[in-house]
Amino acid sequence: GPQMMYRTFPALVNEYLMVLKSTVLLGALGIVEITKIGTNVMYQTFNPLPVCLIMAAIYLSLSALVSGIGTYLERSFYAAFN
């Protein structure tokens, strides 16, 4: 019931973050794709630092977004069931 969902939700969010890091997001944009595109841009521009910084920013933004949504939902579950 509700207690199970409340207790397992942090683990589910963590699992989703792991999936985000290793597979495709929304069927088109994933970490592998971001890395491949960034590598291609680095080969074309011969300037890896800005490309790596942009890739890191995208990766951190996606992770922070998923983590923030998870935290919000976790707090909502806590408020609803306590």
Side-chain angles (χ1 to χ4, degrees):
Q3 279 292 338
M4 180 192 72
M5 189 62 178
Y6 172 71
R7 292 187 187 273
T8 60
F9 195 74
L12 291 173
V13 171
N14 188 40
E15 188 68 27
Y16 186 75
L17 281 170
M18 295 304 294
V19 168
L20 174 69
K21 293 175 184 176
S22 63
T23 61
V24 177
L25 174 67
L26 299 177
L29 184 63
I31 302 307
V32 173
E33 288 79 10
I34 292 170
T35 305
K36 181 151 179 65
I37 291 168
T39 303
N40 289 340
V41 171
M42 280 189 273
Y43 287 144
Q44 293 173 357
T45 63
F46 300 107
N47 196 359
L49 184 61
V51 176
C52 288
L53 290 175
I54 291 170
M55 289 188 316
I58 292 170
Y59 176 74
L60 283 172
S61 298
L62 289 173
S63 295
L65 177 67
V66 170
S67 182
I69 291 170
T71 301
Y72 172 77
L73 291 174
E74 186 178 346
R75 287 182 185 163
S76 296
F77 279 132
Y78 181 75
F81 297 119
N82 281 333

